[in-house]
Amino acid sequence: MTPQQFNSDLLAFLTEATTPFHAVAALVGRLEAAGFTRLPAEGEWNLQPGQCCYLTRNDSSLLAFIVGSESAPETGMRMVGAHTDSPCLMVKPSPEKQRSGYFQLGVEVYGGALLNPWFDRDLSLAGRVSFADSAGALHTALVDFRRPLAVIPSLAIHLDREANQSRSINPQTDILPILALQADTSVPDFRSLLRQRLLEEHPDCGVERVLDYELCFYDSQRPALVGLREEFVASARLDNLLSCFAGLQALLQSDRRRSCLLVCNDHEEVGSQSSSGAQGPMLLSTLRRIAGTEERLGQLVQNSMMISADNAHGIHPNYADKHDDNHGPRLNGGPVIKVNANQRYATNAETAGLYRLLAAQEEVPVQSFVVRSDMGCGSTIGPITAGGTGIRTLDIGVPTFAMHSIRELAGSEDACNLGRVLRRFYNHPGSLAPA
Ligand SMILES: [Zn+2]
């Protein structure tokens, strides 16, 4: 696949994947097109060599794997992990507000969102809705309005002369999106609006009454290649759909001889503690079923390795002092090995060493990141997975700007290069542990 083809598919994926639910649906569509089949969580699996399968949890986390022709406990499972969720604004359960003649929705901030960039954007809304049909049975479906239907206007500078020095944002009062002018005092019923949208998207769904929902506002501006020579990819949710997509491409292009696995978890941005998050049992219970016995699971854990792929912070030319001078990754300088002595990243010399070998074989440059010693460090699903399973783990990611903004920026060569090294990892014929 050429880098151009990779990027055009990446932009299409980012456009589809407006919420974790839509990200999983977009991943599933691509997996099924490549011959992967869904495993019944409740039934027996009877896995056979060569089988390509996937399962989902909560419709928002996904785990896909290939049963290699070589035994997974003996040769190890090659695993890549990423996350499907991104910081955003989510609609509250009783959201309708009428203020100064405008119809607004109350929102809750999901994750560590950078709130300033949410102002003056053409916002759309998407997520999962539960509803009852006329027989009273429970269903769920995804909805995505796919058009701008809300905006959070800035306060004019004339009304706040200190805005450029000291404007702060109160998430309870300052960021309610405006959806409509409201001439009279009757506030529209949000669930009725959702029912209407459900019928538009799923005419045969039989919705009688909307029960509940998990809905995220998102920027309707489409992802794009930008820069004088299209050096950059600009999009919402690059953290961490870029890594989900690179992992997917690597899995689809692997030679399918060794056992390979891709896990994309929801809820990383809020600590990973949920039934579908990295602290939940999804990965370990799947490995247990693949291995068959506790004895073979123990073997599999020792012989396997996980690459946790999640974006890194590129050195920003306007704020270069936020990085250690020797560890300022540049966009398009190659994926970054993330190191933290305090185990906020799970990288160690063994796992980083193997990655450097694989990247050299693929002729992909490698950069390193360690946070300034006088600043705190972020984290990923890497240490959580390593701690929960005992599997040796590496933390890497492509360098980006504006992490957790409504529009982030990555280099247009790095994602494709990440995919190439991950494919090399999936195909790696040797042991994953040092000799
Ligand atoms: Zn992330």
Side-chain angles (χ1 to χ4, degrees), residues 356-380:
R356 286 183 189 278
L357 288 177
L358 297 171
Q361 287 163 12
E362 203 59 44
E363 295 180 1
V364 166
V366 179
Q367 307 186 85
S368 303
F369 174 76
V370 58
V371 77
R372 278 179 64 108
S373 300
D374 54 3
M375 282 172 65
C377 184
S379 192
T380 71

Side-chain angles (χ1 to χ4, degrees), residues 5-6 21 61 70 130 143 228 307 346-347 389 401 403:
Q5 183 63 45
F6 183 98
F21 305 107
S61 290
E70 297 169 0
S130 65
V143 295
L228 203 54
I307 297 184
T347 306
T389 63
F401 291 145
M403 189 180 285

